[in-house]
Amino acid sequence: MAIKPQNILKKMQNNFKEIYIQIGNSIRDKRKERGLTQQQLADKDVKLDRSKISDIENGKEDFHFFTLLKICEALNMNIKDVFTEKK
C-alpha cells in the first residue's frame, strides 16, 4: 500500500516543528530585545507583512532561507543564534 504524498509532507512538517518553534522563539526574543514590534520589524526591509512575522515567531510558517537571512539582518543577529536555545 502506497503512502499518500500529503501524508509524507505532513509527517516531514511534524518532524521539523520543534526546529521552527526554536527559530521563532529566537527571532521573537531578539526582536523584543531590540525593542521592536512585529510591524516595525516588517517595515525594516524584510518584505513580509506583520502576520507572516507572527506566524514565523509562533512556528506556524514554513519560510525560505533567504527570508530568515533578511530577518536576521534586520535584527542585526547572527544566523547561528536562531538555532541556539537560550539558557
Side-chain angles (χ1 to χ4, degrees):
M1 180 173 195
I3 299 173
K4 294 180 181 179
Q6 61 268 31
N7 292 341
I8 292 171
L9 181 60
K10 187 173 183 176
K11 182 175 170 108
M12 286 174 54
Q13 290 169 339
N14 288 337
N15 288 340
F16 297 115
K17 185 69 175 165
E18 287 182 33
I19 296 169
Y20 281 109
I21 290 170
Q22 173 59 45
I23 291 169
N25 288 338
S26 295
I27 290 169
R28 180 185 302 110
D29 291 346
K30 186 58 78 171
R31 176 181 59 76
K32 287 183 175 184
E33 182 182 303
R34 298 275 189 256
L36 298 172
T37 65
Q38 291 173 342
Q39 186 61 56
Q40 289 169 323
L41 176 57
D43 292 342
K44 284 177 111 358
D45 196 35
V46 176
K47 304 290 189 228
L48 295 174
D49 59 31
R50 188 216 51 82
S51 65
K52 288 287 188 192
I53 290 176
S54 175
D55 288 345
I56 290 170
E57 287 184 353
N58 290 298
K60 297 178 181 176
E61 179 72 20
D62 188 6
F63 48 84
H64 295 281
F65 187 72
F66 181 75
T67 300
L68 183 58
L69 289 172
K70 291 296 286 181
I71 291 170
C72 288
E73 181 180 62
L75 292 171
N76 195 24
M77 178 182 193
N78 189 313
I79 187 74
K80 292 185 251 180
D81 294 341
V82 299
F83 300 103
T84 306
E85 283 190 60
K86 264 190 163 179
K87 296 180 182 183

